mmCIF file of all heavy atoms in Angstrom:
data_model
loop_
_atom_site.group_PDB
_atom_site.id
_atom_site.type_symbol
_atom_site.label_atom_id
_atom_site.label_comp_id
_atom_site.label_asym_id
_atom_site.label_seq_id
_atom_site.Cartn_x
_atom_site.Cartn_y
_atom_site.Cartn_z
ATOM 1 N N VAL A 175 131.314 77.423 77.844
ATOM 2 C CA VAL A 175 130.467 78.160 78.734
ATOM 3 C C VAL A 175 130.067 79.508 78.138
ATOM 4 O O VAL A 175 128.861 79.893 78.347
ATOM 5 C CB VAL A 175 131.256 78.439 80.071
ATOM 6 C CG1 VAL A 175 130.576 79.452 80.979
ATOM 7 C CG2 VAL A 175 131.486 77.131 80.823
ATOM 8 N N HIS A 176 130.883 80.224 77.473
ATOM 9 C CA HIS A 176 130.602 81.425 76.810
ATOM 10 C C HIS A 176 129.524 81.209 75.780
ATOM 11 O O HIS A 176 128.534 81.997 75.737
ATOM 12 C CB HIS A 176 131.843 82.080 76.200
ATOM 13 C CG HIS A 176 131.516 83.446 75.563
ATOM 14 N ND1 HIS A 176 131.048 83.610 74.337
ATOM 15 C CD2 HIS A 176 131.715 84.658 76.135
ATOM 16 C CE1 HIS A 176 130.895 84.882 74.149
ATOM 17 N NE2 HIS A 176 131.276 85.494 75.151
ATOM 18 N N ARG A 177 129.664 80.214 74.988
ATOM 19 C CA ARG A 177 128.724 79.914 73.908
ATOM 20 C C ARG A 177 127.290 79.679 74.480
ATOM 21 O O ARG A 177 126.308 80.210 74.010
ATOM 22 C CB ARG A 177 129.146 78.717 73.056
ATOM 23 C CG ARG A 177 128.177 78.247 72.001
ATOM 24 C CD ARG A 177 128.148 79.166 70.847
ATOM 25 N NE ARG A 177 127.332 78.716 69.799
ATOM 26 C CZ ARG A 177 127.076 79.298 68.643
ATOM 27 N NH1 ARG A 177 127.676 80.475 68.366
ATOM 28 N NH2 ARG A 177 126.291 78.778 67.704
ATOM 29 N N THR A 178 127.232 78.824 75.470
ATOM 30 C CA THR A 178 125.894 78.330 75.948
ATOM 31 C C THR A 178 125.310 79.270 77.039
ATOM 32 O O THR A 178 124.090 79.516 77.016
ATOM 33 C CB THR A 178 126.041 76.923 76.568
ATOM 34 O OG1 THR A 178 127.005 76.932 77.618
ATOM 35 C CG2 THR A 178 126.382 75.971 75.500
ATOM 36 N N LEU A 179 126.144 79.826 77.960
ATOM 37 C CA LEU A 179 125.542 80.566 79.101
ATOM 38 C C LEU A 179 125.688 82.081 78.907
ATOM 39 O O LEU A 179 124.843 82.807 79.456
ATOM 40 C CB LEU A 179 126.248 80.158 80.366
ATOM 41 C CG LEU A 179 126.094 78.651 80.801
ATOM 42 C CD1 LEU A 179 126.770 78.448 82.176
ATOM 43 C CD2 LEU A 179 124.641 78.205 80.755
ATOM 44 N N VAL A 180 126.661 82.567 78.181
ATOM 45 C CA VAL A 180 126.859 83.980 78.036
ATOM 46 C C VAL A 180 126.153 84.440 76.721
ATOM 47 O O VAL A 180 125.269 85.350 76.764
ATOM 48 C CB VAL A 180 128.380 84.406 78.069
ATOM 49 C CG1 VAL A 180 128.475 85.882 77.874
ATOM 50 C CG2 VAL A 180 128.938 84.005 79.366
ATOM 51 N N SER A 181 126.528 83.866 75.599
ATOM 52 C CA SER A 181 125.871 84.208 74.366
ATOM 53 C C SER A 181 124.561 83.658 74.203
ATOM 54 O O SER A 181 123.721 84.147 73.455
ATOM 55 C CB SER A 181 126.766 83.759 73.218
ATOM 56 O OG SER A 181 128.026 84.411 73.185
ATOM 57 N N GLY A 182 124.265 82.533 74.871
ATOM 58 C CA GLY A 182 122.966 81.900 74.818
ATOM 59 C C GLY A 182 122.710 81.272 73.464
ATOM 60 O O GLY A 182 121.537 81.126 73.048
ATOM 61 N N GLN A 183 123.737 80.756 72.771
ATOM 62 C CA GLN A 183 123.629 80.098 71.511
ATOM 63 C C GLN A 183 123.849 78.651 71.671
ATOM 64 O O GLN A 183 124.532 78.208 72.572
ATOM 65 C CB GLN A 183 124.716 80.691 70.526
ATOM 66 C CG GLN A 183 124.561 82.131 70.242
ATOM 67 C CD GLN A 183 123.274 82.463 69.577
ATOM 68 O OE1 GLN A 183 122.847 81.805 68.567
ATOM 69 N NE2 GLN A 183 122.510 83.504 70.058
ATOM 70 N N PRO A 184 123.321 77.836 70.806
ATOM 71 C CA PRO A 184 123.421 76.370 70.968
ATOM 72 C C PRO A 184 124.866 75.913 70.574
ATOM 73 O O PRO A 184 125.417 76.352 69.539
ATOM 74 C CB PRO A 184 122.405 75.794 69.945
ATOM 75 C CG PRO A 184 122.273 76.902 68.917
ATOM 76 C CD PRO A 184 122.374 78.204 69.691
ATOM 77 N N ALA A 185 125.426 75.010 71.386
ATOM 78 C CA ALA A 185 126.651 74.362 70.960
ATOM 79 C C ALA A 185 126.282 73.023 70.320
ATOM 80 O O ALA A 185 126.365 71.945 70.807
ATOM 81 C CB ALA A 185 127.529 74.087 72.194
ATOM 82 N N ASP A 186 125.773 73.146 69.087
ATOM 83 C CA ASP A 186 125.277 72.008 68.320
ATOM 84 C C ASP A 186 126.415 71.289 67.654
ATOM 85 O O ASP A 186 127.566 71.663 67.757
ATOM 86 C CB ASP A 186 124.167 72.399 67.342
ATOM 87 C CG ASP A 186 124.577 73.482 66.404
ATOM 88 O OD1 ASP A 186 125.825 73.690 66.234
ATOM 89 O OD2 ASP A 186 123.743 74.175 65.828
ATOM 90 N N GLU A 187 126.085 70.194 66.949
ATOM 91 C CA GLU A 187 127.140 69.408 66.315
ATOM 92 C C GLU A 187 127.963 70.248 65.343
ATOM 93 O O GLU A 187 129.191 69.994 65.249
ATOM 94 C CB GLU A 187 126.522 68.213 65.624
ATOM 95 C CG GLU A 187 125.902 67.156 66.585
ATOM 96 C CD GLU A 187 125.488 65.910 65.900
ATOM 97 O OE1 GLU A 187 125.702 65.836 64.661
ATOM 98 O OE2 GLU A 187 124.991 65.051 66.592
ATOM 99 N N GLU A 188 127.399 71.111 64.540
ATOM 100 C CA GLU A 188 128.126 71.938 63.603
ATOM 101 C C GLU A 188 129.075 72.849 64.319
ATOM 102 O O GLU A 188 130.264 72.976 63.968
ATOM 103 C CB GLU A 188 127.180 72.686 62.682
ATOM 104 C CG GLU A 188 127.857 73.690 61.759
ATOM 105 C CD GLU A 188 128.794 72.999 60.791
ATOM 106 O OE1 GLU A 188 128.659 71.807 60.565
ATOM 107 O OE2 GLU A 188 129.648 73.707 60.179
ATOM 108 N N TRP A 189 128.621 73.494 65.400
ATOM 109 C CA TRP A 189 129.549 74.456 66.078
ATOM 110 C C TRP A 189 130.601 73.655 66.787
ATOM 111 O O TRP A 189 131.844 74.113 66.777
ATOM 112 C CB TRP A 189 128.747 75.148 67.189
ATOM 113 C CG TRP A 189 129.515 76.180 67.909
ATOM 114 C CD1 TRP A 189 129.807 77.486 67.580
ATOM 115 C CD2 TRP A 189 130.334 75.918 69.158
ATOM 116 N NE1 TRP A 189 130.626 78.114 68.531
ATOM 117 C CE2 TRP A 189 130.986 77.157 69.477
ATOM 118 C CE3 TRP A 189 130.470 74.823 69.993
ATOM 119 C CZ2 TRP A 189 131.756 77.279 70.561
ATOM 120 C CZ3 TRP A 189 131.314 74.910 71.039
ATOM 121 C CH2 TRP A 189 131.937 76.140 71.375
ATOM 122 N N VAL A 190 130.322 72.456 67.366
ATOM 123 C CA VAL A 190 131.344 71.699 68.034
ATOM 124 C C VAL A 190 132.356 71.216 66.980
ATOM 125 O O VAL A 190 133.591 71.153 67.303
ATOM 126 C CB VAL A 190 130.726 70.528 68.718
ATOM 127 C CG1 VAL A 190 131.747 69.550 69.251
ATOM 128 C CG2 VAL A 190 129.874 71.054 69.964
ATOM 129 N N ARG A 191 131.960 70.827 65.790
ATOM 130 C CA ARG A 191 132.872 70.371 64.788
ATOM 131 C C ARG A 191 133.816 71.475 64.407
ATOM 132 O O ARG A 191 135.047 71.316 64.310
ATOM 133 C CB ARG A 191 132.093 69.912 63.555
ATOM 134 C CG ARG A 191 133.039 69.383 62.424
ATOM 135 C CD ARG A 191 132.214 69.074 61.153
ATOM 136 N NE ARG A 191 131.668 70.271 60.626
ATOM 137 C CZ ARG A 191 132.331 71.169 59.903
ATOM 138 N NH1 ARG A 191 133.614 70.984 59.707
ATOM 139 N NH2 ARG A 191 131.738 72.278 59.419
ATOM 140 N N ARG A 192 133.283 72.700 64.219
ATOM 141 C CA ARG A 192 134.146 73.804 63.794
ATOM 142 C C ARG A 192 135.067 74.221 64.909
ATOM 143 O O ARG A 192 136.231 74.622 64.738
ATOM 144 C CB ARG A 192 133.233 74.982 63.288
ATOM 145 C CG ARG A 192 132.427 74.644 62.078
ATOM 146 C CD ARG A 192 131.594 75.830 61.667
ATOM 147 N NE ARG A 192 132.428 76.956 61.210
ATOM 148 C CZ ARG A 192 131.921 78.179 60.910
ATOM 149 N NH1 ARG A 192 130.631 78.381 60.990
ATOM 150 N NH2 ARG A 192 132.730 79.122 60.577
#
Side-chain angles (χ1 to χ4, degrees):
V175 169
H176 185 275
R177 176 73 177 180
T178 57
L179 299 186
V180 179
S181 296
Q183 299 296 314
D186 54 21
E187 290 188 3
E188 174 62 17
W189 183 88
V190 171
R191 182 188 64 77
R192 296 180 65 187

